[in-house]
Each structure stands twice: as structure tokens, then as C-alpha cells.
Amino acid sequence: MTASRSESAVVILFTFVCYLLFAFKALWPSCDNDLWWHVAVGDWIVKHRQVPHTDPFSRLSRESPHGTPWIAYSWLYEILIAKLFRAEGLAGIALYRVAMASFLFASLTLLLARYRPHFLVATEGLGLAIIAIMPVMTERPWLFTIVFFVWTLHTVSRMRESEGGWEDWLLPLVYLLWANIHIQFVYGLFVLVLACAAPAADRLLGMDKGNAHAAKLGTPAWRRLVSLSVVCAMATLVNPYFVSLYGVVFEYATQMAPFRW
């Protein structure tokens, strides 16, 4: 649908306001308390030129004969944030926030424009998404998770609507980075598994009439999506801890403290 000049003006104004809100939140003079141990881990990795396999900081771990086993699953993010802090101080942290806010804003805009071709509806959805995300706009690795998750949704939606293209095969590189930046890469894998399984569920329920491309079971595009998902899963194993990284996922999934609190 073609937007009128007045609608276009509203969209531009609203988008600009949304970006200002993101930028304002990114530049807000506050720091997440967990930032400092991330910086310390990054410094330790740079100094020792290896990732830790035991906790190098706590007294109990140092006094233990073999140390307390520990997986620094955000090691790549921690090197990045430590380098930024050592180079520019708190300005480096603000730079990280602004850069991630820009990536996230652009990714959300492209995704919502695909799902909601009407300008006004898309910008309203963008505003709601930004309001939901603003509380977590801090200098943490989960900003990468949100960006990469949006990219995964964008790839899946494109493959369900068309044959896709060569750029789809860049997604495994995203998962290679994601697995070394934040443990919540498993959320993206869940979306890929769901996208592969949904056509089978549609067929069982008799709801696949008219579907095409990766949205229909057995099509070349669906097989391509399955292959892409397998390669993405294999890419997550390219990390210093190999399959042990998934032990962290199991550990977090079985912790009861979040449910108690």
C-alpha cells in the first residue's frame, strides 16, 4: 500500500523519536553492576591468552586443589568490553551501547517492515518493541542476543515466503559468533527448530493448504531451511569449550532459584 505524504511525514517523525529514545537510553549515565566482572574476565583472558576453565577470582576456587570448574561463555564479549573500557573508559561503554542500539533499531525496523507493509502499523509495532526493550538497554551481552535473534526471525520469514538467497548462508557465521558471546544463542536454535517442525505440524493438522517454499513440508526450500539449521547448530560448537558449553544451558535450565524468586 502506498503511503500518503502526511503518513510518510508521521512515519519519519515517529521513527526519529523512537531512535532518539534508544539513543537517550544508550547514553544514560548509569552502569550495570555486572559490567566490572565482565571487564575483569576480559582482562584475564587478554593477559593469559586463554579462556578460563576454573574460576580465577574467588578465594575458595584458588584454595581448591583443582579450582572450581567454570565456563566463561561470554568470553568474546568480555574481551570486547574490556578493550573498549581500557581504551576509552566509560565513553567506550557508551559507544558499545550506542552501536548496539543502532544495530538493534535498524534490525527491528527491517523486520517489522517485512511483516507490516503499512507504514503506520509498522511504526506502531516498532514503538512497542522499543518500549519493551528499553529496560534491558545496558552494556550486557544480551544486546547481541536480541540483534541476532531478530536476524534469525528475518531469515526464517524470508525463507518461508520465498526461495531465499545466498545471504541466508551467512546465518551460521552469526551463530558462530553468538555461541562465543552469549549463552542465549539457544533461543535462536529453538526458533530454527520450530520453523523446521511447523510445516510438519501444519500437515498433521490439515493446515498446509496453499503453503509454499519453506512453509511447506518437503519442498526444496524447506529442506534448505533444515540444512541451514543443522549448519547453524554445528557452528555453535566452534568455541573453546566445545560441547561443554551446552552443559551451561542445562545448568541454567534446571536452576530453581529463578522460580522461587
Side-chain angles (χ1 to χ4, degrees):
M1 182 180 294
T2 303
S4 66
R5 293 183 64 180
S6 60
E7 284 183 335
S8 298
V10 171
V11 168
I12 293 172
L13 177 62
F14 188 79
T15 304
F16 181 69
V17 170
C18 288
Y19 185 78
L20 284 181
L21 287 174
F22 245 22
F24 176 77
K25 176 63 177 177
L27 291 171
W28 188 258
S30 64
C31 281
D32 191 304
N33 290 333
D34 278 355
L35 167 68
W36 308 114
W37 73 261
H38 283 299
V39 171
V41 175
D43 287 339
W44 190 95
I45 293 172
V46 171
K47 178 181 178 181
H48 293 84
R49 297 183 179 276
Q50 62 177 333
V51 295
H53 291 271
T54 58
D55 181 0
F57 302 113
S58 69
R59 179 178 58 84
L60 292 177
S61 178
R62 292 195 300 269
E63 291 176 353
S64 173
H66 304 290
T68 303
W70 182 52
I71 292 178
Y73 55 79
S74 295
W75 70 274
L76 196 56
Y77 155 80
E78 285 154 351
I79 291 177
L80 170 65
I81 207 71
K83 290 282 190 179
L84 286 172
F85 181 70
R86 297 308 173 195
E88 302 295 338
L90 292 179
I93 305 303
L95 176 64
Y96 168 77
R97 279 196 244 163
V98 171
M100 294 308 300
S102 299
F103 278 123
L104 182 52
F105 184 85
S107 301
L108 283 172
T109 301
L110 292 174
L111 180 66
L112 288 168
R114 185 177 190 87
Y115 277 113
R116 293 290 183 265
H118 192 286
F119 283 11
L120 290 178
V121 176
T123 49
E124 289 170 2
L126 179 63
L128 291 174
I130 286 174
I131 291 172
I133 294 172
M134 280 185 67
V136 296
M137 279 299 302
T138 58
E139 52 284 342
R140 296 289 291 276
W142 58 46
L143 295 183
F144 278 101
T145 282
I146 300 172
V147 172
F148 292 159
F149 187 84
V150 172
W151 290 0
T152 300
L153 288 177
H154 192 76
T155 300
V156 167
S157 65
R158 184 173 59 245
M159 294 184 71
R160 285 174 61 87
E161 296 167 6
S162 68
E163 291 296 334
W166 64 268
E167 64 273 12
D168 297 333
W169 292 99
L170 296 176
L171 196 62
L173 297 178
V174 170
Y175 276 79
L176 188 153
L177 287 174
W178 199 352
N180 290 279
I181 289 174
H182 198 211
I183 197 66
Q184 290 176 356
F185 70 87
V186 293
Y187 294 164
L189 291 180
F190 175 77
V191 169
L192 291 175
V193 171
L194 190 62
C196 294
D202 288 342
R203 176 168 294 185
L204 288 174
L205 297 173
M207 298 172 59
D208 64 344
K209 297 178 181 178
N211 287 352
H213 307 299
K216 189 175 181 65
L217 187 68
T219 61
W222 177 81
R223 290 194 293 269
R224 190 164 176 263
L225 175 60
V226 172
S227 300
L228 179 64
S229 301
V230 171
V231 176
C232 286
M234 293 175 62
T236 65
L237 298 177
V238 184
N239 70 82
Y241 302 103
F242 195 47
V243 294
S244 298
L245 186 65
Y246 281 86
V248 179
V249 178
F250 178 77
E251 178 187 352
Y252 284 1
T254 55
Q255 284 182 353
M256 298 305 297
F259 298 100
R260 287 200 301 268
W261 292 100

